Amino acid sequence: MTWDGLSALVIVPARGGSKGIRRKNLCRVGPRSLIAWAAHTVSELSWIDGAVISTDDSEMAEEGRKHGLEAPFMRPAELASDTASSAELWRHAWLASENHFGRRFDLSILLQPTTPLRKTPDVERTVKAMVDGRHRAAATVSRTPGHFTPQKCLALDEKGVLAFYHEHGASYAARQTIPAYYHRNGVCYAVMRETLIEHGHIVEDDCLAVIIDEYVVNIDDPIELELAEFMLSRDITLGIDSS
């Protein structure tokens, strides 16, 4: 296997506690749980050398195993809290996976279950862009709608009075005049070993943006679960295998 001679590890992060939706990673969209959707993407990546689920929850670990992910370790409690960073949990899972498989991985991919309708070509495009461009990392992003950009955001003072967050916000009456901003959409993160293991970085240092033009559902709240179900049922996300 391997990608361009580089060994690749997939980590699927799925902690048991979630505030917006209880037991979120076990919730279903169409025929699959969110964990199963991530595992399904892994099954379509023929060049992957290892794939594990990182969780602190035994039921989620079993759901991962059921769909082809390995679960050789449990995530420590301190890395399953609301304040634990993605870099910390990813680094732990990477090193624990290397210990389990008895090998070193050159690069790793993080596939969050909360973006269930990702397309496999977008994952491969992210890895290709990182490796071919000799970047240290890559992440998929979506363009931020104009009304959510800093120029349109408002802040409240201690009296509840509104003010523009951006110092020149009042000057941007038309959305068309606002510069392009982007936000991470959770479809794929890719990183080289040295970048994460030695420096603890994901997007901080030479992280290439891989832009996805289509709408991406990233599930945090119940309404987004319903939206993902709607998009799948109407085949809005063309190219998704829902069988």
Side-chain angles (χ1 to χ4, degrees):
M1 293 184 280
T2 74
W3 179 284
D4 197 25
L6 300 172
S7 55
L9 169 71
V10 172
I11 302 295
V12 176
R15 71 187 182 102
S18 57
K19 298 295 177 63
I21 305 174
R22 184 178 178 276
R23 314 286 291 160
K24 176 171 61 179
N25 293 307
L26 293 174
C27 292
R28 302 182 73 84
V29 172
R32 302 187 181 104
S33 69
L34 300 191
I35 290 173
W37 275 107
H40 178 70
T41 298
V42 173
S43 72
E44 296 186 326
L45 302 173
S46 61
W47 43 272
I48 291 298
D49 299 285
V52 304
I53 183 170
S54 169
T55 184
D56 60 323
D57 185 276
S58 58
E59 187 178 1
M60 293 188 185
E62 183 55 35
E63 178 72 0
R65 290 190 192 98
K66 177 182 175 182
H67 295 282
L69 302 175
E70 296 198 40
F73 56 84
M74 298 299 286
R75 190 192 304 180
E78 63 270 20
L79 296 181
S81 68
D82 292 336
T83 58
S85 74
S86 296
E88 290 172 334
L89 73 86
W90 194 352
R91 185 178 188 276
H92 168 269
W94 194 326
L95 293 175
S97 296
E98 289 187 337
N99 182 63
H100 168 68
F101 289 108
R103 63 176 301 178
R104 177 187 175 108
F105 293 97
D106 298 311
L107 64 87
S108 182
I109 303 158
L110 194 76
L111 298 181
Q112 298 174 333
T114 47
T115 312
L117 304 185
R118 62 171 53 85
K119 298 178 182 178
T120 304
D122 287 330
V123 176
E124 295 187 325
R125 185 161 61 97
T126 303
V127 176
K128 178 176 174 58
M130 178 181 70
V131 173
D132 290 357
R134 298 183 180 276
H135 294 280
R136 298 184 183 184
T140 56
V141 297
S142 298
R143 179 148 182 188
T144 303
H147 51 284
F148 290 135
T149 59
Q151 288 84 349
K152 287 293 184 180
C153 284
L154 301 172
L156 302 180
D157 66 14
E158 64 279 1
K159 296 180 181 179
V161 176
L162 287 172
F164 281 101
Y165 170 79
H166 191 282
E167 62 177 331
H168 301 300
S171 304
Y172 290 90
R175 287 185 292 120
Q176 294 78 3
T177 64
I178 298 174
Y181 288 87
Y182 296 87
H183 59 273
R184 294 170 288 177
N185 56 34
V187 170
C188 181
Y189 294 88
V191 68
M192 303 302 295
R193 189 180 193 281
E194 178 184 357
T195 306
L196 183 68
I197 300 301
E198 297 186 21
H199 302 296
H201 292 170
I202 301 176
V203 301
E204 296 92 333
D205 183 15
D206 189 30
C207 183
L208 182 70
V210 177
I211 300 171
I212 296 181
D213 292 324
E214 298 136 337
Y215 184 78
V216 175
V217 181
N218 195 337
I219 297 171
D220 284 319
D221 299 309
I223 188 64
E224 288 152 345
L225 263 178
E226 296 183 21
L227 178 57
E229 188 74 47
F230 171 78
M231 292 180 70
L232 185 66
S233 67
R234 296 296 181 93
D235 198 29
I236 294 174
T237 51
L238 300 176
I240 297 295
D241 177 10
S242 61
S243 60

